[in-house]
Amino acid sequence: MKFVAQIAALSLLGASAAAAQPVGEAPRWSLAIHGGAGVIERTSLTPEQDAAYRAALQKALDVGSAVLAEGGEALDAVQAAIQVMEDEPLFNAGRGAVFTAEGRNELDAAVMNGRDLTAGAVAGLTTTRHPIAAARAVMERSPHVMLIGPGADAFAASQNLEQVEPAWFFTQRRWDQLIRALTEQGLPIPSRPADAPSSDAPGAQASGAPPLDERKFGTVGAVALDAQGRLAAGTSTGGMTAKRWGRVGDVPIIGAGTYASNADGCAVSATGSGEYFIRSTVARDICRRTAEGASVQAAADAEIAEVGAIGGDGGVIVMGRDGAVAFALNTSGMYRAEAGSMRADRVAIYADEDR
Ligand code: ASP
């Protein structure tokens, strides 16, 4: 694929330029983010919608890059970039998350520190504004790896993480998407949440947002390498529209949607049909491949081919220990962006997009 080849070539250029970098120059770092993969075609976005997504990605990239450029930690950059996207209604994470069949927003997130393989995850949050911050608190301030449901929100509150009314996460277009999905499935339509903003209230609509269908995954994620050579990965999502029975996808499952290991030279965040990504243990498997000597691009491509072979759709972002970035997807698009100390920012949407 021309696009993939170009990314790989760019990443290699970045790596070799950095290797030649004289001592005393700006430290080397690298960041990649995604805002979900899926059926995203040029014909399905107006120029305004296309521009709105690119601007949202650039904003998250800038915030994460600033952390790394100042010598900050990979983990802090990952969290900072994801929090921007959790607050952005265009993406299916935090505000703007999809609804369950019961008409609730239940949020999942995970983070992993590649330096020491510590990890934290949360599932089914309903009141914590930034699920990625809760995942990080689980990792750093609890003896556990994964917390779920009301207990996870209570833990986040006990760690002074901002709590919000569930209506904070409400957006009209996700609500409309739920109604369509439930109608198609012949399922009962829940009443509109009592505290939801009216459909014309500011914030209820995501400005510049296209109509939604279930072939777009709006999960957000980030992978980073900091100037000290530490790798980190994080992912945050509302899951799948009209999910039922406490369904949890790949995002908070360490090794499925999220994984990082300095020893393996790899950090991964995934987006796609979570049930398939769980069964393929996508993120861990990509790191096994890099540990065995594959390039990040080869590892990502091989894994996406495998998950595709069992019926999964989606994509991954992968960061190598040298700062090389790989994107791989088997859908027509993935909202994605990368930045690094030795290269220009890049923001892309469509699978075949050139720089
Ligand atoms: N992977 C997510 C899930 O299955 C969905 C997404 O990527 O948007 O929950």
PDB file of all heavy atoms in Angstrom, residues 1 27 53 61 68 117 125-126 135 158 161 174 179-180 194 216 227 230 270 278-279 292 298 304 309 343-344 353:
ATOM      1  N   MET A   1       0.855  -1.185   0.000  1.00  0.00           N
ATOM      2  CA  MET A   1       0.000   0.000   0.000  1.00  0.00           C
ATOM      3  C   MET A   1       0.894   1.239   0.000  1.00  0.00           C
ATOM      4  O   MET A   1       1.780   1.361   0.834  1.00  0.00           O
ATOM      5  CB  MET A   1      -0.869  -0.042   1.267  1.00  0.00           C
ATOM      6  CG  MET A   1      -2.164   0.680   1.154  1.00  0.00           C
ATOM      7  SD  MET A   1      -3.338   0.033   2.368  1.00  0.00           S
ATOM      8  CE  MET A   1      -2.858   0.906   3.835  1.00  0.00           C
ATOM      9  N   PRO A  27      16.141  16.938  22.609  1.00  0.00           N
ATOM     10  CA  PRO A  27      15.948  15.498  22.794  1.00  0.00           C
ATOM     11  C   PRO A  27      14.973  14.928  21.776  1.00  0.00           C
ATOM     12  O   PRO A  27      14.132  15.639  21.233  1.00  0.00           O
ATOM     13  CB  PRO A  27      15.375  15.396  24.201  1.00  0.00           C
ATOM     14  CG  PRO A  27      14.818  16.735  24.496  1.00  0.00           C
ATOM     15  CD  PRO A  27      15.621  17.720  23.715  1.00  0.00           C
ATOM     16  N   TYR A  53     -12.459  17.446  11.902  1.00  0.00           N
ATOM     17  CA  TYR A  53     -11.722  16.287  12.446  1.00  0.00           C
ATOM     18  C   TYR A  53     -10.220  16.560  12.471  1.00  0.00           C
ATOM     19  O   TYR A  53      -9.529  16.249  13.442  1.00  0.00           O
ATOM     20  CB  TYR A  53     -12.023  15.029  11.631  1.00  0.00           C
ATOM     21  CG  TYR A  53     -13.278  14.320  12.104  1.00  0.00           C
ATOM     22  CD1 TYR A  53     -14.476  14.484  11.440  1.00  0.00           C
ATOM     23  CD2 TYR A  53     -13.254  13.512  13.232  1.00  0.00           C
ATOM     24  CE1 TYR A  53     -15.631  13.846  11.877  1.00  0.00           C
ATOM     25  CE2 TYR A  53     -14.397  12.872  13.676  1.00  0.00           C
ATOM     26  CZ  TYR A  53     -15.582  13.042  13.002  1.00  0.00           C
ATOM     27  OH  TYR A  53     -16.718  12.418  13.457  1.00  0.00           O
ATOM     28  N   LEU A  61      -2.756  16.498  19.251  1.00  0.00           N
ATOM     29  CA  LEU A  61      -1.340  16.285  18.926  1.00  0.00           C
ATOM     30  C   LEU A  61      -0.482  17.387  19.549  1.00  0.00           C
ATOM     31  O   LEU A  61       0.576  17.119  20.124  1.00  0.00           O
ATOM     32  CB  LEU A  61      -1.187  16.282  17.406  1.00  0.00           C
ATOM     33  CG  LEU A  61       0.094  15.715  16.824  1.00  0.00           C
ATOM     34  CD1 LEU A  61       0.198  14.213  17.088  1.00  0.00           C
ATOM     35  CD2 LEU A  61       0.161  15.989  15.311  1.00  0.00           C
ATOM     36  N   LEU A  68       6.024  16.325  25.543  1.00  0.00           N
ATOM     37  CA  LEU A  68       7.261  15.620  25.164  1.00  0.00           C
ATOM     38  C   LEU A  68       8.378  16.605  24.813  1.00  0.00           C
ATOM     39  O   LEU A  68       9.546  16.377  25.147  1.00  0.00           O
ATOM     40  CB  LEU A  68       6.973  14.686  23.986  1.00  0.00           C
ATOM     41  CG  LEU A  68       6.027  13.530  24.333  1.00  0.00           C
ATOM     42  CD1 LEU A  68       5.553  12.831  23.069  1.00  0.00           C
ATOM     43  CD2 LEU A  68       6.700  12.537  25.276  1.00  0.00           C
ATOM     44  N   LEU A 117       6.048  -2.337  32.617  1.00  0.00           N
ATOM     45  CA  LEU A 117       4.871  -3.177  32.363  1.00  0.00           C
ATOM     46  C   LEU A 117       3.764  -2.980  33.401  1.00  0.00           C
ATOM     47  O   LEU A 117       2.936  -3.864  33.590  1.00  0.00           O
ATOM     48  CB  LEU A 117       5.246  -4.664  32.272  1.00  0.00           C
ATOM     49  CG  LEU A 117       6.247  -5.054  31.186  1.00  0.00           C
ATOM     50  CD1 LEU A 117       6.409  -6.582  31.156  1.00  0.00           C
ATOM     51  CD2 LEU A 117       5.837  -4.547  29.812  1.00  0.00           C
ATOM     52  N   LEU A 125     -17.448   3.138  33.287  1.00  0.00           N
ATOM     53  CA  LEU A 125     -17.552   4.386  34.056  1.00  0.00           C
ATOM     54  C   LEU A 125     -18.746   5.199  33.565  1.00  0.00           C
ATOM     55  O   LEU A 125     -19.037   5.224  32.363  1.00  0.00           O
ATOM     56  CB  LEU A 125     -16.284   5.241  33.868  1.00  0.00           C
ATOM     57  CG  LEU A 125     -14.957   4.690  34.368  1.00  0.00           C
ATOM     58  CD1 LEU A 125     -13.859   5.736  34.155  1.00  0.00           C
ATOM     59  CD2 LEU A 125     -15.023   4.303  35.824  1.00  0.00           C
ATOM     60  N   THR A 126     -19.402   5.910  34.490  1.00  0.00           N
ATOM     61  CA  THR A 126     -20.531   6.753  34.069  1.00  0.00           C
ATOM     62  C   THR A 126     -20.417   8.190  34.565  1.00  0.00           C
ATOM     63  O   THR A 126     -21.193   9.040  34.130  1.00  0.00           O
ATOM     64  CB  THR A 126     -21.873   6.176  34.567  1.00  0.00           C
ATOM     65  OG1 THR A 126     -21.841   6.119  35.988  1.00  0.00           O
ATOM     66  CG2 THR A 126     -22.144   4.797  33.996  1.00  0.00           C
ATOM     67  N   ALA A 135      -7.897   5.297  34.587  1.00  0.00           N
ATOM     68  CA  ALA A 135      -7.059   4.122  34.301  1.00  0.00           C
ATOM     69  C   ALA A 135      -5.659   4.327  34.860  1.00  0.00           C
ATOM     70  O   ALA A 135      -5.063   3.423  35.458  1.00  0.00           O
ATOM     71  CB  ALA A 135      -7.014   3.889  32.791  1.00  0.00           C
ATOM     72  N   SER A 158     -12.435   9.064  44.731  1.00  0.00           N
ATOM     73  CA  SER A 158     -11.576   9.064  45.923  1.00  0.00           C
ATOM     74  C   SER A 158     -10.172   9.568  45.601  1.00  0.00           C
ATOM     75  O   SER A 158      -9.440   9.991  46.490  1.00  0.00           O
ATOM     76  CB  SER A 158     -11.496   7.651  46.522  1.00  0.00           C
ATOM     77  OG  SER A 158     -10.605   6.837  45.759  1.00  0.00           O
ATOM     78  N   LEU A 161     -10.391  12.709  41.083  1.00  0.00           N
ATOM     79  CA  LEU A 161     -10.579  12.904  39.649  1.00  0.00           C
ATOM     80  C   LEU A 161     -11.966  13.493  39.416  1.00  0.00           C
ATOM     81  O   LEU A 161     -12.934  13.082  40.069  1.00  0.00           O
ATOM     82  CB  LEU A 161     -10.421  11.582  38.890  1.00  0.00           C
ATOM     83  CG  LEU A 161      -9.036  10.949  39.032  1.00  0.00           C
ATOM     84  CD1 LEU A 161      -8.947   9.683  38.187  1.00  0.00           C
ATOM     85  CD2 LEU A 161      -7.933  11.924  38.625  1.00  0.00           C
ATOM     86  N   ARG A 174     -25.099  11.182  18.846  1.00  0.00           N
ATOM     87  CA  ARG A 174     -24.948   9.810  19.357  1.00  0.00           C
ATOM     88  C   ARG A 174     -26.304   9.264  19.793  1.00  0.00           C
ATOM     89  O   ARG A 174     -26.551   8.066  19.678  1.00  0.00           O
ATOM     90  CB  ARG A 174     -23.962   9.778  20.526  1.00  0.00           C
ATOM     91  CG  ARG A 174     -22.537  10.097  20.155  1.00  0.00           C
ATOM     92  CD  ARG A 174     -21.929   9.037  19.270  1.00  0.00           C
ATOM     93  NE  ARG A 174     -20.521   9.287  19.024  1.00  0.00           N
ATOM     94  CZ  ARG A 174     -19.800   8.642  18.109  1.00  0.00           C
ATOM     95  NH1 ARG A 174     -20.349   7.707  17.360  1.00  0.00           N
ATOM     96  NH2 ARG A 174     -18.528   8.922  17.947  1.00  0.00           N
ATOM     97  N   ILE A 179     -30.938   5.604  18.515  1.00  0.00           N
ATOM     98  CA  ILE A 179     -32.339   5.360  18.132  1.00  0.00           C
ATOM     99  C   ILE A 179     -32.381   4.576  16.816  1.00  0.00           C
ATOM    100  O   ILE A 179     -33.147   3.614  16.673  1.00  0.00           O
ATOM    101  CB  ILE A 179     -33.123   6.694  17.978  1.00  0.00           C
ATOM    102  CG1 ILE A 179     -33.009   7.560  19.233  1.00  0.00           C
ATOM    103  CG2 ILE A 179     -34.586   6.431  17.606  1.00  0.00           C
ATOM    104  CD1 ILE A 179     -33.485   6.963  20.502  1.00  0.00           C
ATOM    105  N   ARG A 180     -31.535   4.994  15.861  1.00  0.00           N
ATOM    106  CA  ARG A 180     -31.497   4.281  14.569  1.00  0.00           C
ATOM    107  C   ARG A 180     -31.105   2.821  14.755  1.00  0.00           C
ATOM    108  O   ARG A 180     -31.710   1.909  14.203  1.00  0.00           O
ATOM    109  CB  ARG A 180     -30.506   4.949  13.609  1.00  0.00           C
ATOM    110  CG  ARG A 180     -31.075   6.111  12.831  1.00  0.00           C
ATOM    111  CD  ARG A 180     -30.208   6.434  11.611  1.00  0.00           C
ATOM    112  NE  ARG A 180     -28.807   6.616  11.944  1.00  0.00           N
ATOM    113  CZ  ARG A 180     -28.278   7.761  12.390  1.00  0.00           C
ATOM    114  NH1 ARG A 180     -29.024   8.818  12.545  1.00  0.00           N
ATOM    115  NH2 ARG A 180     -26.997   7.839  12.675  1.00  0.00           N
ATOM    116  N   ALA A 194     -33.249  12.311  31.422  1.00  0.00           N
ATOM    117  CA  ALA A 194     -33.987  13.483  31.916  1.00  0.00           C
ATOM    118  C   ALA A 194     -33.109  14.727  31.933  1.00  0.00           C
ATOM    119  O   ALA A 194     -33.571  15.825  31.648  1.00  0.00           O
ATOM    120  CB  ALA A 194     -34.512  13.186  33.310  1.00  0.00           C
ATOM    121  N   LYS A 216     -18.298   3.174  11.793  1.00  0.00           N
ATOM    122  CA  LYS A 216     -17.197   4.054  12.205  1.00  0.00           C
ATOM    123  C   LYS A 216     -16.907   3.793  13.677  1.00  0.00           C
ATOM    124  O   LYS A 216     -17.808   3.791  14.495  1.00  0.00           O
ATOM    125  CB  LYS A 216     -17.597   5.520  12.076  1.00  0.00           C
ATOM    126  CG  LYS A 216     -17.724   6.021  10.675  1.00  0.00           C
ATOM    127  CD  LYS A 216     -17.908   7.536  10.695  1.00  0.00           C
ATOM    128  CE  LYS A 216     -18.092   8.098   9.320  1.00  0.00           C
ATOM    129  NZ  LYS A 216     -19.382   7.724   8.733  1.00  0.00           N
ATOM    130  N   ALA A 227      11.881  11.476  25.634  1.00  0.00           N
ATOM    131  CA  ALA A 227      13.315  11.728  25.418  1.00  0.00           C
ATOM    132  C   ALA A 227      14.193  10.791  26.249  1.00  0.00           C
ATOM    133  O   ALA A 227      15.379  10.628  25.949  1.00  0.00           O
ATOM    134  CB  ALA A 227      13.623  13.187  25.733  1.00  0.00           C
ATOM    135  N   ARG A 230      11.338   6.117  27.109  1.00  0.00           N
ATOM    136  CA  ARG A 230      10.213   5.375  27.692  1.00  0.00           C
ATOM    137  C   ARG A 230       9.047   5.334  26.719  1.00  0.00           C
ATOM    138  O   ARG A 230       8.708   6.375  26.128  1.00  0.00           O
ATOM    139  CB  ARG A 230       9.759   6.045  29.000  1.00  0.00           C
ATOM    140  CG  ARG A 230      10.806   5.972  30.091  1.00  0.00           C
ATOM    141  CD  ARG A 230      10.432   6.810  31.279  1.00  0.00           C
ATOM    142  NE  ARG A 230      10.441   8.233  30.959  1.00  0.00           N
ATOM    143  CZ  ARG A 230      10.701   9.200  31.845  1.00  0.00           C
ATOM    144  NH1 ARG A 230      10.943   8.899  33.100  1.00  0.00           N
ATOM    145  NH2 ARG A 230      10.689  10.476  31.471  1.00  0.00           N
ATOM    146  N   ALA A 270      -5.326   0.355  19.758  1.00  0.00           N
ATOM    147  CA  ALA A 270      -6.151  -0.184  18.667  1.00  0.00           C
ATOM    148  C   ALA A 270      -7.526   0.469  18.644  1.00  0.00           C
ATOM    149  O   ALA A 270      -7.990   1.047  19.629  1.00  0.00           O
ATOM    150  CB  ALA A 270      -6.311  -1.687  18.828  1.00  0.00           C
ATOM    151  N   ILE A 278     -10.074  -8.663  20.765  1.00  0.00           N
ATOM    152  CA  ILE A 278      -9.820  -9.439  21.986  1.00  0.00           C
ATOM    153  C   ILE A 278      -9.328 -10.837  21.602  1.00  0.00           C
ATOM    154  O   ILE A 278      -8.322 -11.325  22.122  1.00  0.00           O
ATOM    155  CB  ILE A 278     -11.108  -9.559  22.832  1.00  0.00           C
ATOM    156  CG1 ILE A 278     -11.527  -8.202  23.391  1.00  0.00           C
ATOM    157  CG2 ILE A 278     -10.899 -10.559  23.984  1.00  0.00           C
ATOM    158  CD1 ILE A 278     -12.914  -8.198  24.058  1.00  0.00           C
ATOM    159  N   ARG A 279     -10.036 -11.456  20.678  1.00  0.00           N
ATOM    160  CA  ARG A 279      -9.696 -12.843  20.339  1.00  0.00           C
ATOM    161  C   ARG A 279      -8.342 -12.956  19.668  1.00  0.00           C
ATOM    162  O   ARG A 279      -7.682 -14.002  19.761  1.00  0.00           O
ATOM    163  CB  ARG A 279     -10.797 -13.416  19.438  1.00  0.00           C
ATOM    164  CG  ARG A 279     -12.084 -13.647  20.217  1.00  0.00           C
ATOM    165  CD  ARG A 279     -13.308 -13.574  19.326  1.00  0.00           C
ATOM    166  NE  ARG A 279     -13.274 -14.529  18.258  1.00  0.00           N
ATOM    167  CZ  ARG A 279     -14.026 -14.466  17.167  1.00  0.00           C
ATOM    168  NH1 ARG A 279     -14.876 -13.451  17.018  1.00  0.00           N
ATOM    169  NH2 ARG A 279     -13.946 -15.378  16.246  1.00  0.00           N
ATOM    170  N   GLU A 292      10.463 -10.094  18.228  1.00  0.00           N
ATOM    171  CA  GLU A 292      11.111 -11.117  17.395  1.00  0.00           C
ATOM    172  C   GLU A 292      11.842 -10.506  16.198  1.00  0.00           C
ATOM    173  O   GLU A 292      12.372 -11.224  15.356  1.00  0.00           O
ATOM    174  CB  GLU A 292      10.063 -12.121  16.899  1.00  0.00           C
ATOM    175  CG  GLU A 292       9.538 -13.009  18.025  1.00  0.00           C
ATOM    176  CD  GLU A 292       8.310 -13.836  17.627  1.00  0.00           C
ATOM    177  OE1 GLU A 292       7.866 -13.749  16.457  1.00  0.00           O
ATOM    178  OE2 GLU A 292       7.804 -14.561  18.500  1.00  0.00           O
ATOM    179  N   ALA A 298       5.733  -3.775   9.758  1.00  0.00           N
ATOM    180  CA  ALA A 298       5.486  -5.176   9.382  1.00  0.00           C
ATOM    181  C   ALA A 298       4.637  -5.866  10.451  1.00  0.00           C
ATOM    182  O   ALA A 298       3.725  -6.642  10.133  1.00  0.00           O
ATOM    183  CB  ALA A 298       6.809  -5.908   9.192  1.00  0.00           C
ATOM    184  N   ILE A 304      -3.013  -6.861  11.592  1.00  0.00           N
ATOM    185  CA  ILE A 304      -4.301  -6.426  11.033  1.00  0.00           C
ATOM    186  C   ILE A 304      -4.796  -7.440  10.001  1.00  0.00           C
ATOM    187  O   ILE A 304      -5.996  -7.713   9.899  1.00  0.00           O
ATOM    188  CB  ILE A 304      -4.188  -4.992  10.463  1.00  0.00           C
ATOM    189  CG1 ILE A 304      -4.065  -3.986  11.612  1.00  0.00           C
ATOM    190  CG2 ILE A 304      -5.377  -4.642   9.571  1.00  0.00           C
ATOM    191  CD1 ILE A 304      -5.263  -3.931  12.567  1.00  0.00           C
ATOM    192  N   ALA A 309      -8.705 -11.621   8.985  1.00  0.00           N
ATOM    193  CA  ALA A 309      -9.006 -12.987   8.523  1.00  0.00           C
ATOM    194  C   ALA A 309     -10.086 -13.656   9.379  1.00  0.00           C
ATOM    195  O   ALA A 309     -10.790 -14.544   8.893  1.00  0.00           O
ATOM    196  CB  ALA A 309      -7.732 -13.825   8.534  1.00  0.00           C
ATOM    197  N   ARG A 343      10.566  15.606  12.904  1.00  0.00           N
ATOM    198  CA  ARG A 343       9.771  15.597  11.674  1.00  0.00           C
ATOM    199  C   ARG A 343       8.539  16.498  11.801  1.00  0.00           C
ATOM    200  O   ARG A 343       8.119  16.838  12.906  1.00  0.00           O
ATOM    201  CB  ARG A 343       9.359  14.182  11.298  1.00  0.00           C
ATOM    202  CG  ARG A 343       8.470  13.491  12.311  1.00  0.00           C
ATOM    203  CD  ARG A 343       8.286  12.032  11.913  1.00  0.00           C
ATOM    204  NE  ARG A 343       7.236  11.400  12.679  1.00  0.00           N
ATOM    205  CZ  ARG A 343       7.379  10.918  13.907  1.00  0.00           C
ATOM    206  NH1 ARG A 343       8.541  11.019  14.529  1.00  0.00           N
ATOM    207  NH2 ARG A 343       6.368  10.343  14.526  1.00  0.00           N
ATOM    208  N   ALA A 344       7.991  16.841  10.628  1.00  0.00           N
ATOM    209  CA  ALA A 344       6.803  17.696  10.607  1.00  0.00           C
ATOM    210  C   ALA A 344       5.585  16.911  11.068  1.00  0.00           C
ATOM    211  O   ALA A 344       5.520  15.689  10.906  1.00  0.00           O
ATOM    212  CB  ALA A 344       6.573  18.215   9.187  1.00  0.00           C
ATOM    213  N   GLU A 353      -4.329   8.151   1.993  1.00  0.00           N
ATOM    214  CA  GLU A 353      -3.957   9.563   2.000  1.00  0.00           C
ATOM    215  C   GLU A 353      -2.445   9.773   1.945  1.00  0.00           C
ATOM    216  O   GLU A 353      -1.688   9.170   2.697  1.00  0.00           O
ATOM    217  CB  GLU A 353      -4.484  10.208   3.283  1.00  0.00           C
ATOM    218  CG  GLU A 353      -4.531  11.694   3.212  1.00  0.00           C
ATOM    219  CD  GLU A 353      -5.391  12.262   4.342  1.00  0.00           C
ATOM    220  OE1 GLU A 353      -6.380  11.594   4.723  1.00  0.00           O
ATOM    221  OE2 GLU A 353      -5.070  13.311   4.811  1.00  0.00           O
TER     222      GLU A 353
END
